[in-house]
Amino acid sequence: MAKPVLTLSSKNYGAWSLRGWLMCRFAGLDFSETIIPPDDPAMKAEMLLLSSSMLVPSLQHGTVKVWDTLAIGEYLNEIKPKAGLLPADAKARAHCRAICGEMHSGFASMRGALPMNIKAHFKGFKVWSRAQTDIDRVIAIWRECFKAYGGPFLFGKQPCIADAMYAPVVTRFLSYDVPLDSACTSYCKRVMELPAMKEWVAAAKAEPEEIDELDAEF
């Protein structure tokens, strides 16, 4: 079977691409990447519509093609069951799927007001009330997970699908200078220190400035 191919958009702006890419890394999948150009309709869809159900990221694995981010995670869990992408305990696994589903379909105000932009840092950024409500919910989810599973990641000792789903939020909180408590600050630091995240961030910072932010109606 040929090496799996993961199709991605911008590494600086592509929140859904980051999620799918991290899942593949966490699964230990040996894959190659295809980056679609900034003027591709799929790229614009991910950037502008902020939708979870786009053609990017897309995983081609032999004759199997999976393009929804959560579907990619579930597929990887099936072909790499020992990677621990989902918790072994049924109750924790259900909880993990629930908070991943919440990210998949919700938090539109936060995503719209604080679009992912790894290169940027907006010190003292003023967050409007609806976006703050989303931020408060994310923090509540994280605290609940830390209390239930003991950290250092959302479901225990190793990162899983949930950490991949919330990783773009971590970058947003850092880019937009969102105030956090010590536990959430430590979690953000742990996520950013993951080798996979360091690799992604380095690629994002090296990315050419080909996307006009002023044209992105976030």
Side-chain angles (χ1 to χ4, degrees):
M1 183 183 294
K3 180 183 284 192
V5 178
L6 186 68
T7 301
L8 305 166
S9 66
S10 164
K11 288 192 172 182
N12 188 55
Y13 302 102
W16 291 104
S17 287
L18 171 57
R19 293 180 174 105
W21 187 89
L22 280 177
M23 290 177 188
C24 290
R25 279 285 191 262
F26 292 167
L29 187 70
D30 181 20
F31 65 97
S32 60
E33 300 176 14
T34 296
I35 309 295
I36 61 175
D39 58 350
D40 187 283
M43 165 79 89
K44 291 182 178 180
E46 188 186 11
M47 297 298 101
L48 303 182
L49 299 183
L50 303 169
S51 172
S52 56
S53 297
M54 289 296 165
L55 299 180
V56 183
S58 173
L59 177 65
Q60 184 77 48
H61 188 205
T63 59
V64 176
K65 185 173 183 178
V66 194
W67 59 90
D68 179 87
T69 309
L70 277 186
I72 290 173
E74 292 286 351
Y75 176 71
L76 291 169
N77 185 63
E78 290 181 0
I79 66 171
K80 297 283 189 177
K82 295 181 179 179
L85 287 180
L86 286 171
D89 177 75
K91 182 178 179 181
R93 193 162 59 249
H95 186 195
C96 181
R97 285 186 166 118
I99 69 165
C100 288
E102 190 170 348
M103 174 53 66
H104 190 262
S105 60
F107 302 106
S109 294
M110 178 183 67
R111 284 192 259 153
L114 284 68
M116 193 173 94
N117 187 342
I118 290 174
K119 294 183 184 182
H121 182 230
F122 303 97
K123 187 174 177 60
F125 184 81
K126 184 174 177 58
V127 177
W128 60 301
S129 59
R130 288 186 181 178
Q132 187 62 53
T133 299
D134 283 352
I135 290 169
D136 292 343
R137 175 57 187 154
V138 169
I139 291 171
I141 288 171
W142 289 2
R143 287 173 176 167
E144 181 181 0
C145 287
F146 300 152
K147 182 178 180 180
Y149 310 108
F153 295 100
L154 293 179
F155 286 85
K157 294 182 179 180
Q158 71 179 63
C160 68
I161 285 177
D163 300 284
M165 289 296 290
Y166 283 82
V169 178
V170 169
T171 72
R172 286 176 163 97
F173 285 176
L174 297 176
S175 292
Y176 294 92
D177 204 25
V178 175
L180 299 170
D181 62 26
S182 59
C184 292
T185 298
S186 296
Y187 174 68
C188 289
K189 183 177 180 181
R190 281 192 294 274
V191 169
M192 296 304 292
E193 287 178 347
L194 288 168
M197 279 298 292
K198 288 183 177 180
E199 181 183 347
W200 181 277
V201 169
K205 289 182 176 179
E207 194 171 80
E209 296 290 350
E210 295 177 340
I211 300 172
D212 188 349
E213 292 181 78
L214 295 179
D215 289 339
E217 299 173 0
F218 286 111

